[in-house]
Amino acid sequence: MTMKPLRLFLALFCLLVAIWLVLPTLVIIPMSFNQNKSLAFPPSGFSWQWYENFLTNPDWSSSFVNSLRIATIVALIATLIGTLAALGLSRMKHAGGGILRALLITPMVVPGVVLAVGIYSVYLTYKLVGTDLGFVIAHTMLAIPFVLIAVSASLEMFDVRLEKAAASLGANRFTTFRTITLPLIAPGILSGLLFAFVTSFDEIIVALFITNPYLKTLPVQIFTSITRDADPTVAAVGTIVFLATTLLIAAGLLLGARSKRS
C-alpha cells in the first residue's frame, strides 16, 4: 500500500470513529424540537416550545444563572492559582516538584463519587452544603488541574533565556514577568481559563451532593428534570450547552495550538 492510499484510509477511519463518538450526542438536537412532551427519537413534529420553556421557566433560568455565576468565579480563581502553581513547579528541578504536581492533579484521577462523598462530609461539618462558597471551593479544586496542565504546556515551550536577557537589561522580576513571561504564556492561561469554566459549568457529581432546593446548578436541574418530567426541555438545554461547550473547547484547543507554535 503506497503512502497516499494509506493516508486516505487513515483519514476515513478517523472520520468514522469521530462520527461514532459524536452521533449519540447529536441525537439530542432533533429531539429538542419534538412537538410532543416526550424524549422520543425520531421526533414527532417541530416546535420551539422547549427552548421557550428553558428561557421562561424560573427553575431553568435560575439554575442557568447560578451555573454561569459560579463557573465565572471558579474560572478566575482556578486560573490564578493554577498559573501560579505552574510557574512555581516549572522552577522546581528536584523530585519534590513531581510530587507536588501529582498532588495538584489528584482531583482529575480520583473517582468523582469518592471525591464527592469526601467533600460532602467536610461540608456538613462547616455548613457549606448548598452555599455559593461551597460550590466555588469544590469546583475550583476540580478546575485547578486543567489550568495547571494548560499553563505548564506553555511553559515547556518558554525560553527562560528571554527572562535572563530582560534582567540583564535592568528589568526587575515584576517587569520581566509582565512584559516577557505573561504575554508568551497567555495562550496557555486563556486555554486553562476556558477549560476551568467548562469544568465548573458542566460538573454534576459533586454538585448533586452539595446542592439544596434553594441553590441548584444547571446540571443538577437537568438531572432533576430527567428523573421527574423527562420532557424535551432537557434536550433543548443539552443542545445549548453542547454547542456552547464545543465552541469554548475549540477556542481552548486553538489557543493551545497557538501556544505550541509560538
Side-chain angles (χ1 to χ4, degrees), residues 135-184:
F135 273 96
V136 169
I137 293 175
H139 285 184
T140 299
M141 180 176 61
L142 297 172
I144 285 175
F146 294 93
V147 180
L148 177 65
I149 291 173
V151 178
S152 296
S154 293
L155 289 170
E156 288 292 330
M157 308 298 295
F158 179 73
D159 190 351
V160 295
R161 293 176 298 179
L162 296 174
E163 291 182 333
K164 295 179 180 178
S168 67
L169 294 174
N172 57 37
R173 289 188 176 182
F174 177 74
T175 302
T176 300
F177 175 77
R178 180 175 57 84
T179 60
I180 303 297
T181 308
L182 185 60
L184 292 177

Side-chain angles (χ1 to χ4, degrees), residues 64-79 136 139-140 193 196-198 200-201:
F64 175 76
V65 172
N66 290 336
S67 285
L68 194 62
R69 183 183 69 254
I70 292 171
T72 301
I73 298 173
V74 168
L76 295 175
I77 297 175
T79 300
V136 169
H139 285 184
T140 299
L193 177 72
F197 180 88
V198 172
S200 174
F201 194 85

Side-chain angles (χ1 to χ4, degrees), residues 91-111:
R91 287 160 172 76
M92 296 179 64
K93 303 302 180 183
H94 50 80
I99 297 175
L100 286 175
R101 186 183 299 273
L103 289 175
L104 287 172
I105 65 173
T106 297
M108 291 184 65
V109 296
V110 174

Side-chain angles (χ1 to χ4, degrees), residues 1-11:
M1 183 179 291
T2 61
M3 187 60 65
K4 188 173 181 180
L6 178 61
R7 289 181 178 177
L8 183 61
F9 171 76
L10 290 176

Side-chain angles (χ1 to χ4, degrees):
M1 183 179 291
T2 61
M3 187 60 65
K4 188 173 181 180
L6 178 61
R7 289 181 178 177
L8 183 61
F9 171 76
L10 290 176
L12 181 61
F13 177 75
C14 291
L15 178 62
L16 291 175
V17 171
I19 294 174
W20 177 62
L21 293 173
V22 176
L23 193 59
T25 305
L26 296 179
V27 168
I28 67 170
I29 297 177
M31 288 172 59
S32 67
F33 297 102
N34 196 351
Q35 191 173 15
N36 296 330
K37 187 179 179 180
S38 63
L39 287 171
F41 184 84
S44 175
F46 181 88
S47 175
W48 292 95
Q49 61 178 314
W50 310 116
Y51 289 91
E52 181 182 355
N53 185 48
F54 168 67
L55 296 174
T56 58
N57 189 314
D59 291 336
W60 287 106
S61 57
S62 63
S63 63
F64 175 76
V65 172
N66 290 336
S67 285
L68 194 62
R69 183 183 69 254
I70 292 171
T72 301
I73 298 173
V74 168
L76 295 175
I77 297 175
T79 300
L80 176 61
I81 297 175
T83 300
L84 293 176
L87 288 169
L89 290 172
S90 68
R91 287 160 172 76
M92 296 179 64
K93 303 302 180 183
H94 50 80
I99 297 175
L100 286 175
R101 186 183 299 273
L103 289 175
L104 287 172
I105 65 173
T106 297
M108 291 184 65
V109 296
V110 174
V113 174
V114 175
L115 197 62
V117 171
I119 292 173
Y120 178 71
S121 300
V122 174
Y123 277 20
L124 282 179
T125 303
Y126 295 98
K127 298 180 180 180
L128 291 172
V129 174
T131 64
D132 284 342
L133 179 60
F135 273 96
V136 169
I137 293 175
H139 285 184
T140 299
M141 180 176 61
L142 297 172
I144 285 175
F146 294 93
V147 180
L148 177 65
I149 291 173
V151 178
S152 296
S154 293
L155 289 170
E156 288 292 330
M157 308 298 295
F158 179 73
D159 190 351
V160 295
R161 293 176 298 179
L162 296 174
E163 291 182 333
K164 295 179 180 178
S168 67
L169 294 174
N172 57 37
R173 289 188 176 182
F174 177 74
T175 302
T176 300
F177 175 77
R178 180 175 57 84
T179 60
I180 303 297
T181 308
L182 185 60
L184 292 177
I185 67 173
I189 295 175
L190 292 176
S191 177
L193 177 72
L194 292 174
F195 279 107
F197 180 88
V198 172
T199 299
S200 174
F201 194 85
D202 289 347
E203 202 284 319
I204 176 63
I205 299 177
V206 173
L208 283 173
F209 278 77
I210 64 175
T211 192
N212 68 15
Y214 306 103
L215 179 61
K216 289 184 179 180
T217 58
L218 186 60
V220 173
Q221 177 61 29
I222 292 174
F223 180 83
T224 302
S225 178
I226 201 69
T227 56
R228 183 187 60 195
D229 302 325
D231 64 49
T233 304
V234 174
V237 176
T239 300
I240 295 172
V241 172
F242 167 70
L243 294 177
T245 303
T246 300
L247 290 175
L248 286 175
I249 292 179
L253 293 175
L254 289 175
L255 290 171
R258 178 184 173 186
S259 176
K260 292 181 180 179
R261 290 196 301 267
S262 57

